[in-house]
Amino acid sequence: MYLVAIAWAYVALMMAAAEALSPQGTLFGAFVTLMLYGVLPLGLLLYILGTPGRRRRRRAADASAQADAGGHAATGPAEGLAPEREEA
């Protein structure tokens, strides 16, 4: 996955360099080329392709949090019930 992203970034960078060094090209055009052909598509692609990994890490974190809790219910006063009175 990363090899394709690196290759795409290289091609987009070369396109931007060609735009900047062309006699009719401008630095603004090179910047727009780099953003629209490089940064935005790569960001979207890496975000979408990284979704399964993020989901897997979130499930693993939830599972370890439940294992650390010992599987017992939370303790403390139940909601809506009055606390017990101590008798003297």
Side-chain angles (χ1 to χ4, degrees):
M1 172 175 80
Y2 293 118
L3 183 63
V4 172
I6 291 168
W8 185 276
Y10 176 76
V11 170
L13 185 64
M14 291 297 113
M15 289 173 58
E19 174 75 26
L21 298 176
S22 170
Q24 293 88 15
T26 63
L27 287 178
F28 180 71
F31 177 75
V32 170
T33 299
L34 186 63
M35 289 295 121
L36 295 181
Y37 285 110
V39 175
L40 292 177
L42 273 177
L44 183 64
L45 176 77
L46 293 176
Y47 178 77
I48 290 172
L49 292 179
T51 299
R54 284 192 306 275
R55 186 176 298 139
R56 192 171 30 254
R57 284 189 299 273
R58 187 180 325 122
R59 287 183 183 157
D62 289 345
S64 67
Q66 288 176 353
D68 291 343
H72 298 292
T75 60
E79 194 173 326
L81 297 177
E84 276 187 45
R85 285 181 45 179
E86 293 182 18
E87 295 188 25

